[in-house]
Amino acid sequence: MDPLQFAYQPGIGVDDAVIYLLQRSLSHLEDAGNTVRITFFDFSSAFNTIHPSLLRVKLERAGASDQLAAWVTNYLTDRPQFVRLQDCVSDVVVCSTGAPQGTVLSPFLFTLYTSDFTYSTDSCHLQKFSDDTAIVGCVSEGNDCEYRKVIMDFVDWCELNHLQVNASKTKEMVIDFSRKPSADIAPLNIQGLDIERATAEDFYETVVASVVSYAVVCWGGGCSERDKKRLNRLIKRASSVCGCPLDSIEVMGERRALAKLSTIMDNTSPLCIRLQKLKRDGPVTRTIQQWPDQSDSALHDCFSMTEWCVFKDTDINTYTDAGHWIHRKMHRR
């Protein structure tokens, strides 16, 4: 298994993937003049492009038994598929590529399918989270040869393994904290298309702002003034790096609170409607002042088969509603 595959492994997850990427990137950016370039790859129908014959070879290389490899190959081969809409049924199509969607096995098989391409050095590495793949290049003095070579090797490997890279949705991010960032960095070209570059503001919104928003939601109400000032200093520094104004902690908290309130008020589920009605009507209490003998007699008449011994030593409040109902019935007579 690829050591930089952060999905479907015990004890690690997407947070570890983000932390690893940030730690490698920020450590490199501590030295003046260094830049970090990250390419985020997008695949077209990733799970639908698995070839069972290639997967079987990879399984056997990974140490799987012949029986297990044969079983997985048989499972993915000659699968009948059709679509049903009420009484209409489409023609049956037999499929021998890809893995069935919605199963636990599909993403795990894709992880195994892509496990034989790995790369990690001090200046460049490839990391994955299921079918999300990123190549991170720590560039010094403008030398990005290794970074570009790893990208080209990965694209070639994808073609050999029938994985379709969606170049139009693949993005590159260049992170440069110097006062005068270099503007003459040649763009990447994959499949004849220049890869679009994301801005520092995109990086802030997708990575930093998501962490700050999580903090606002969890601890916003109990956040001290000292902590708010520290977070606002972080946002102010990020604003200077991005070159654009960014919302303060107070603005973010108010926006998130209003969005959550709007979601609750727009929820039409029966439970939410009932809760809103209870909130408008106020608390409802029902009390019974005494348990008269005629109530006990009426209960016996209604439930002659009841074993009343089970009600001994039981708190009378448990049966308040029932007693109240009996009391009303008796008064109606």
Side-chain angles (χ1 to χ4, degrees), residues 55-156:
L55 179 60
R56 179 169 185 168
V57 174
K58 297 172 189 280
L59 285 170
E60 292 173 347
R61 288 177 181 171
S65 65
D66 294 340
Q67 292 82 359
L68 177 59
W71 180 85
V72 172
T73 303
N74 181 268
Y75 171 69
L76 298 178
T77 306
D78 297 332
R79 304 190 318 274
Q81 298 180 345
F82 64 91
V83 177
R84 173 181 292 163
L85 179 60
Q86 295 181 352
D87 296 332
C88 290
V89 181
S90 70
D91 295 334
V92 177
V93 176
V94 177
C95 183
S96 293
T97 59
Q101 298 294 305
T103 65
V104 177
L105 188 60
S106 297
F108 179 71
L109 291 178
F110 185 84
T111 299
L112 289 173
Y113 193 72
T114 58
S115 62
D116 56 336
F117 189 95
T118 62
Y119 192 89
S120 180
T121 64
D122 292 339
S123 57
C124 188
H125 77 274
L126 180 147
Q127 66 179 81
K128 310 167 189 169
F129 188 88
S130 188
D131 60 327
D132 295 323
T133 302
I135 294 180
V136 183
C138 300
V139 180
S140 300
E141 299 179 355
N143 185 1
D144 60 357
C145 294
E146 181 184 10
Y147 170 70
R148 290 180 177 273
K149 184 178 184 304
V150 174
I151 290 176
M152 292 300 103
D153 290 345
F154 181 68
V155 172
D156 293 341

Side-chain angles (χ1 to χ4, degrees), residues 208-218 249 252 255-256:
V208 181
S210 63
V211 177
V212 176
S213 297
Y214 181 81
V216 168
V217 172
C218 293
I249 285 294
M252 293 177 64
R255 185 172 65 246
R256 292 298 296 268

Side-chain angles (χ1 to χ4, degrees), residues 194-223:
D194 287 343
I195 300 304
E196 181 182 351
R197 276 203 189 125
T199 63
E201 184 178 0
D202 296 328
F203 176 78
Y204 172 82
E205 292 293 340
T206 55
V207 179
V208 181
S210 63
V211 177
V212 176
S213 297
Y214 181 81
V216 168
V217 172
C218 293
W219 304 293
C223 190

Side-chain angles (χ1 to χ4, degrees), residues 283-301:
V284 177
T285 58
R286 295 176 181 173
T287 59
I288 185 167
Q289 299 299 325
Q290 106 183 52
W291 186 274
D293 295 337
Q294 56 266 37
S295 296
D296 185 71
S297 176
L299 282 173
H300 274 284
D301 293 340

Side-chain angles (χ1 to χ4, degrees), residues 154-193:
F154 181 68
V155 172
D156 293 341
W157 176 87
C158 289
E159 292 180 358
L160 291 174
N161 288 268
H162 306 283
L163 294 173
Q164 301 172 8
V165 176
N166 190 341
S168 62
K169 292 185 177 181
T170 297
K171 309 296 181 185
E172 184 188 28
M173 180 179 294
V174 179
I175 306 172
D176 187 352
F177 290 160
S178 59
R179 294 184 179 274
K180 295 182 179 180
S182 177
D184 57 352
I185 299 177
L188 294 172
N189 189 283
I190 297 176
Q191 299 173 347
L193 293 176

